Amino acid sequence: MDDNLFTKRLGEPVSGDQASESDAEGNILLRDTVLTDKLAAFNRERIPERVVHAKGWGAHGEFVPTKDMSKYTLAGLFTKVGKKFRTLVRFSTVAGGRDSADTVRDPRGFAVKFYTDEGIHDIVCNNTPVFFIRDPMKFPDFIHSQKKNPVTNLTDPNAQWDFLSLTPESLNQVTVLFSDQGIPYGFRYMDGFGTNTFSWYNARGEYVYVKYHFLSEQGLKNLDPAEAERIAGENPDFAGEDLRNAIARGEYPSWRVAVQIMTPEQAKTYRFDPFDTTKTWYETDFPLTEIGKLTLNRNPKNFFNEIEQAAFCPANMVPGTGPSPDKMLQGRMFAYTDTQRYRLGVNFNRVGVNASASPVFNYQRDGILADNPVNPINYYPNSMQDVRFSKRVRVVPPTVTAPVKREAPPIKDIDFVQPRDRYLAMDDAERERLTDNIAKSLSGAEKRIQYRTAALFYRVEAGYGTKVAEKLKLNLREVRRLSELSQAELEYATGRR
Ligand code: HEM
């Protein structure tokens, strides 16, 4: 075979690639399939960007369990101490498009894929331990409000703060986002949090609830907002470049992996709803247990193949692990593979980085770009083929004890406790920066939305609300008055139609 013999897409050699076949006057002939094939392929180079987390970077690596957790889970991933599990990680920002800047104030995605002997396990994290909402029903509205305005196509602080102030369960995450942590220096210098509550079960079928943490061994490092803005203009790919160069230099970033564990009995009485993604489990109540180490040590050879086409989903869970009554997790378990069937096509699971490292056997077939197994049987039950089913997989006991309902939990005092504790744990300088950042962003919203939001911060903590009100030059007495209203009264008083 000739090396690098130039060909068309199906292997037919071509005589040249720099000029189209044309007549003496310069007209190109339609029969020039060297040209039409080339343009047609080029015209289809872009696939839809991710509807969220469109801008991202990634690398390959390994996860090594360091503690045998078989008391709680039968998953090899968390019990086979010392075994190296191949991993893929994709880091991202959330709201911007595919070519937006890395150094913006936004949560960072931290999606981890583990290739195991029992299929793919994904933990699709953010760098923040909590989220803005606690019901997946609100996710499309939340994202609409944070991305571009449909009329102007501009980012819209009015919509952003309107939604957040009508969704006060977001205040805990808003406090994280506008703190120093809101603009990490780069992906190596941030932690990752599974955020959702998952379950683990052991060989005896006993189960517990868990939350995953990835703790940066590089330490945490953030960017000053003015510096971040400057870098965004100079080098929008700053964080991706930092990651790639570090790995190329052999400075492999690593994270200690830990879990918090809660028994079903503890879940019944914990003061915060353990399945509410706007709340953490305090580490003083549920300490971290270190279970392994994640290291990134290999840059992708082709970005599109290995990172753009990567498909992560929190529903990808190996035996010994499962979901919980966390509504957000359940919504996510549908959303990711659904969007991937659209973004990448129904057979996305066959693309290199998404493919299972262990054998796949079922009777699903066909669809666009199928590469079916050679098997004359395509139905079950059948009397031609022996099929085994796993005895290791358990259904986590259902917890349905009351009638099914569609009802958002009302906003209660407990919803203000964690953002208050978070604010009180900051020193004076951090509080100034937090409220500066909030005031700068909120100043782009209508006055009535500024009042509504400042009143909510006041309800979190009087000093917090006062600083936001003062920086926005709001009437403090009015903010205080509004903070004493119920959420419904507050919305009415600030012009919710
Ligand atoms: C109900 C709530 C949520 C819904 C419906 C949702 C939906 C989605 C969708 C549709 C994508 C695009 C996936 C793709 O195109 O491959 C995505 C990406 C992502 N989401 Fe969520 N999401 C939710 C909440 C969360 C939470 C709570 C976290 C973090 C704890 C999170 C972290 C991520 C990450 C890291 C990605 C990027 C994955 C990658 O790098 O390919 N999401 N989400």
Side-chain angles (χ1 to χ4, degrees):
M1 200 178 87
D2 288 330
D3 272 348
N4 298 338
L5 172 67
F6 213 97
T7 71
K8 292 202 285 180
R9 286 163 75 85
L10 295 171
E12 313 102 289
V14 300
S15 59
D17 182 60
Q18 288 297 286
S20 319
E21 219 179 299
S22 39
D23 67 17
E25 281 147 9
N27 302 304
I28 295 173
L29 305 180
L30 181 59
R31 70 170 193 212
D32 185 0
T33 52
V34 179
L35 173 68
T36 53
D37 277 8
K38 186 174 179 179
L39 290 184
F42 176 73
N43 292 347
R44 290 164 179 76
E45 275 181 7
R46 297 291 169 274
I47 58 172
E49 65 178 31
R50 287 166 176 79
V51 65
V52 284
H53 294 262
K55 174 76 185 292
W57 304 94
H60 301 270
E62 62 189 34
F63 169 72
V64 181
T66 50
K67 191 170 165 72
D68 177 3
M69 299 301 284
S70 50
K71 181 173 168 204
Y72 301 106
T73 175
L74 51 79
L77 189 58
F78 305 121
T79 54
K80 294 188 177 162
V81 173
K83 186 177 156 96
K84 288 183 181 167
F85 290 89
R86 187 160 63 84
T87 60
L88 173 74
V89 173
R90 181 174 178 272
F91 298 108
S92 49
T93 52
V94 181
R98 186 150 45 193
D99 286 315
S100 55
D102 283 343
T103 55
V104 290
R105 185 174 300 283
D106 203 7
R108 300 294 187 271
F110 187 148
V112 189
K113 184 179 291 296
F114 303 87
Y115 302 85
T116 85
D117 306 340
E118 291 188 294
I120 298 279
H121 188 91
D122 290 340
I123 306 181
V124 192
C125 305
N126 277 343
N127 69 327
T128 56
V130 286
F131 202 67
F132 298 89
I133 52 171
R134 54 187 170 201
D135 191 313
M137 188 66 106
K138 296 190 177 191
F139 190 77
D141 304 287
F142 164 60
I143 295 299
H144 287 174
S145 73
Q146 306 301 304
K147 288 188 88 144
K148 305 283 186 98
N149 175 296
V151 174
T152 60
N153 199 36
L154 299 170
T155 304
D156 184 351
N158 211 44
Q160 289 174 335
W161 288 100
D162 191 31
F163 181 88
L164 294 173
S165 58
L166 294 173
T167 314
E169 65 266 33
S170 67
L171 288 170
N172 202 9
Q173 170 76 322
V174 167
T175 302
V176 177
L177 183 61
F178 285 89
S179 73
D180 296 346
Q181 216 191 309
I183 318 181
Y185 176 91
F187 306 125
R188 296 187 291 149
Y189 303 98
M190 61 186 209
D191 293 338
F193 301 90
T195 306
N196 290 119
T197 299
F198 295 87
S199 59
W200 275 3
Y201 53 88
N202 64 17
R204 289 189 301 279
E206 298 156 341
Y207 72 101
V208 290
Y209 295 118
V210 295
K211 276 190 185 287
Y212 297 103
H213 298 244
F214 293 75
L215 307 166
S216 169
E217 295 205 303
Q218 293 66 245
L220 302 183
K221 196 157 108 184
N222 302 309
L223 279 171
D224 166 75
E227 174 74 348
E229 271 180 34
R230 187 185 61 74
I231 296 173
E234 249 171 37
N235 181 5
D237 299 330
F238 181 78
E241 195 171 279
D242 172 70
L243 175 71
R244 194 171 174 94
N245 289 348
I247 294 175
R249 286 195 303 270
E251 286 168 33
Y252 300 143
S254 59
W255 286 262
R256 289 181 296 119
V257 184
V259 286
Q260 287 176 291
I261 299 176
M262 185 187 285
T263 64
E265 292 67 40
Q266 290 170 317
K268 282 184 199 139
T269 56
Y270 192 41
R271 63 178 166 137
F272 302 113
D273 176 352
F275 309 112
D276 175 345
T277 43
T278 67
K279 310 278 185 293
T280 56
W281 303 352
Y282 282 176
E283 287 173 29
T284 40
D285 298 328
F286 298 93
L288 294 180
T289 304
E290 200 169 315
I291 60 168
K293 180 165 166 163
L294 169 74
T295 308
L296 297 181
N297 53 19
R298 187 160 56 87
N299 278 318
K301 289 200 172 71
N302 181 283
F303 177 83
F304 187 91
N305 286 356
E306 295 160 52
I307 306 301
E308 189 63 13
Q309 292 195 108
F312 299 85
C313 177
N316 296 338
M317 289 186 253
V318 293
T321 69
S324 79
D326 173 343
K327 288 180 208 287
M328 288 281 287
L329 172 60
Q330 295 175 14
R332 293 181 75 195
M333 288 170 69
F334 160 75
Y336 290 65
T337 29
D338 185 54
T339 196
Q340 287 150 8
R341 286 181 205 106
Y342 162 71
R343 181 165 74 82
L344 304 164
V346 65
N347 283 305
F348 71 89
N349 54 313
R350 308 196 66 90
V351 171
V353 287
N354 298 330
S356 168
S358 57
V360 175
F361 178 92
N362 57 47
Y363 295 111
Q364 296 174 23
R365 58 193 294 127
D366 300 353
I368 289 172
L369 292 183
D371 183 12
N372 290 321
V374 181
N375 183 357
I377 317 295
N378 66 350
Y379 61 90
Y380 185 81
N382 66 66
S383 50
M384 289 86 164
Q385 233 162 20
D386 261 353
V387 172
R388 269 185 327 112
F389 288 97
S390 172
K391 297 207 169 32
R392 285 162 58 75
V393 180
R394 307 260 177 155
V395 175
V396 175
T399 46
V400 180
T401 51
V404 172
K405 59 187 188 332
R406 182 195 295 283
E407 206 172 85
I411 297 299
K412 296 198 191 121
D413 287 341
I414 192 85
D415 294 313
F416 296 85
V417 170
Q418 292 202 357
R420 179 176 311 136
D421 288 349
R422 206 174 278 291
Y423 180 78
L424 292 176
M426 294 180 186
D427 64 27
D428 283 347
E430 283 174 300
R431 290 178 193 173
E432 287 306 325
R433 293 195 294 273
L434 167 75
T435 49
D436 279 349
N437 295 333
I438 290 174
K440 186 172 174 216
S441 170
L442 190 52
S443 66
E446 286 171 45
K447 272 284 172 242
R448 66 188 180 95
I449 293 174
Q450 294 182 11
Y451 271 100
R452 188 195 297 151
T453 315
L456 287 168
F457 287 126
Y458 198 93
R459 191 167 167 195
V460 170
E461 209 278 331
Y464 191 177
T466 302
K467 277 190 201 299
V468 172
E470 282 173 356
K471 290 178 183 181
L472 288 166
K473 301 197 169 41
L474 303 180
N475 178 326
L476 189 57
R477 281 180 56 188
E478 177 62 0
V479 170
R480 199 176 305 130
R481 185 188 74 80
L482 291 171
S483 76
E484 282 158 12
L485 303 179
S486 70
Q487 180 63 21
E489 290 164 341
L490 172 65
E491 291 177 11
Y492 184 76
T494 51
R496 182 173 184 193
R497 286 171 278 276

